[in-house]
Amino acid sequence: MPLIGYARVSTEDQTPLPQTQALKSAGCAEIHEEQASGGNRARPVLARVLERIGKGDTLVVVRIDRLARSLSHLLEVIERLEAKGAFFRSIQDPIDTGSPQGKFTLQVLGAAAEFERALIRERTKAGLASARTKGRVGGNPGLRAKDPAALRKVQLARQDGYMERLNETAQDWVPHVRRLRPDLAWEDVVRIINGPLPEARRWTQSRLLRAVKAYVRDGFLPAEVLARAGRRETDDRLPAIVAGIKGADPDITLQAICTRLQAMRERTPRGRTSWQPSSVKMLLERAERLGLLD
């Protein structure tokens, strides 16, 4: 099984050399390095690694904190790997999802995270109930008085919270938006993004547009992605969609593209609901002639 290493440092003063040496010693022939804060989930190098990793591959890090700073982020990344049939291993921690012991450790971590969330909910409810019995009214006095400074502070806090939530899902949609816009219409981009995602994590067009505008405003995406999509001939639409799927994951198989198109409920050129690899191959060849593939 191919071992793919990931090494991360937080600042320019730090060097990833000790990590890369350890990853090479562990058998990693391919190693990706990144300089980014561990608290930032929207890391472009990590996003590309997770996008390109395939079935049977193993993502290897020296320590868990090189990949994630929170248990929720760690579990989210491992869930994405498992959905692709890939594995995760930490050299200095007892986690290897390719082994029964590692899977057990992961289950314990997941149970601990859920228990922690339940405790926080119960403590919050108990605190609010106790305050009500003592006649205390919750809330910010400045907000009740409609103080402009207090209102501005809350608005900024909400904006920060929204951006933090977006960062947690950025790897699901940012690479697609960056590659597909403005060549494809938003409707098609949303369908491509939602193809591999479970129902609970799927996007609506309005929600995606709001997220993209926020990322453009903060400089995480270029303003060009919001430009009006050019008109495309009806016969060119399917090649453009297939090219977008292939471009986001160059190693994807023809059968996997078929599965993705069926999940998008996209019909074949002949109007059928069931896709065959030969149809996808034909569309890819047309996309290449149209210059839609790199």
Side-chain angles (χ1 to χ4, degrees):
M1 295 185 294
L3 302 180
I4 300 173
Y6 174 76
R8 181 189 64 80
V9 293
S10 299
T11 66
E12 294 181 355
D13 297 333
Q14 298 173 319
T15 173
L17 184 58
Q19 295 180 57
T20 57
Q21 289 176 339
L23 292 169
K24 287 179 181 177
S25 298
C28 296
E30 178 183 342
I31 298 175
H32 301 267
E33 299 178 0
E34 183 161 38
Q35 179 198 319
S37 168
N40 180 15
R41 299 193 181 190
R43 292 176 241 154
V45 174
L46 178 59
R48 286 196 298 270
V49 171
L50 294 176
E51 189 70 32
R52 297 174 64 100
I53 202 165
K55 185 176 181 180
D57 294 345
T58 300
L59 179 63
V60 184
V61 297
V62 174
R63 297 190 311 275
I64 290 176
D65 66 349
R66 297 300 88 198
L67 177 68
R69 285 286 183 86
S70 68
L71 183 55
S72 62
H73 188 204
L74 173 64
L75 295 175
E76 179 185 320
V77 170
I78 293 177
E79 181 182 344
R80 286 200 65 185
L81 293 172
E82 289 184 335
K84 289 192 167 190
F87 306 98
F88 171 73
R89 180 188 304 169
S90 174
I91 296 174
Q92 297 183 11
D93 303 290
I95 294 185
D96 180 353
T97 60
S99 69
Q101 296 88 345
K103 289 181 179 179
F104 175 74
T105 302
L106 187 61
Q107 291 171 351
V108 172
L109 288 174
E114 181 58 35
F115 179 63
E116 182 183 14
R117 287 192 292 268
L119 284 179
I120 292 172
R121 287 195 297 268
E122 290 303 317
R123 288 169 182 165
T124 301
K125 290 178 182 178
L128 291 173
S130 175
R132 283 194 294 269
T133 60
K134 296 176 181 178
R136 291 202 298 267
V137 179
N140 188 315
L143 292 181
R144 291 200 297 270
K146 296 185 178 180
D147 177 64
L151 292 172
R152 175 64 177 165
K153 188 174 182 180
V154 170
Q155 182 182 3
L156 290 174
R158 287 176 177 171
Q159 182 176 320
D160 289 344
Y162 175 63
M163 293 302 295
E164 185 175 344
R165 292 193 298 273
L166 285 184
N167 291 341
E168 293 177 357
T169 62
Q171 56 197 7
D172 290 338
W173 56 276
V174 169
H176 292 290
V177 171
R178 192 184 299 276
R179 179 174 180 83
L180 301 177
R181 287 290 304 166
D183 293 332
L184 284 185
W186 285 110
E187 177 184 357
D188 292 326
V189 174
V190 171
R191 294 169 71 191
I192 290 174
I193 290 172
N194 286 338
L197 296 179
E199 187 73 29
R201 287 169 54 188
R202 291 184 178 175
W203 294 77
T204 62
Q205 184 171 323
S206 60
R207 181 168 159 248
L208 179 63
L209 270 171
R210 182 189 174 200
V212 171
K213 288 177 180 177
Y215 261 45
V216 169
R217 181 194 65 223
D218 286 1
F220 295 131
L221 282 171
E224 290 76 17
V225 299
L226 293 173
R228 183 184 295 274
R231 288 195 173 185
R232 190 176 292 281
E233 297 294 331
T234 304
D235 291 344
D236 293 348
R237 180 177 170 275
L238 280 175
I241 291 175
V242 172
I245 296 173
K246 178 71 173 178
D249 185 1
D251 298 326
I252 193 170
T253 64
L254 294 177
Q255 186 59 56
I257 296 178
C258 291
T259 303
R260 184 80 62 86
L261 291 167
Q262 287 170 189
M264 294 167 58
R265 298 184 179 179
E266 194 68 57
R267 291 185 176 271
T268 69
R270 296 186 178 182
R272 298 173 181 171
T273 57
S274 178
W275 283 82
Q276 298 298 323
S278 57
S279 299
V280 172
K281 183 179 180 182
M282 176 190 69
L283 290 173
L284 285 173
E285 291 171 349
R286 178 168 175 75
E288 189 169 6
R289 290 195 297 271
L290 292 170
L292 301 175
L293 288 172
D294 294 337

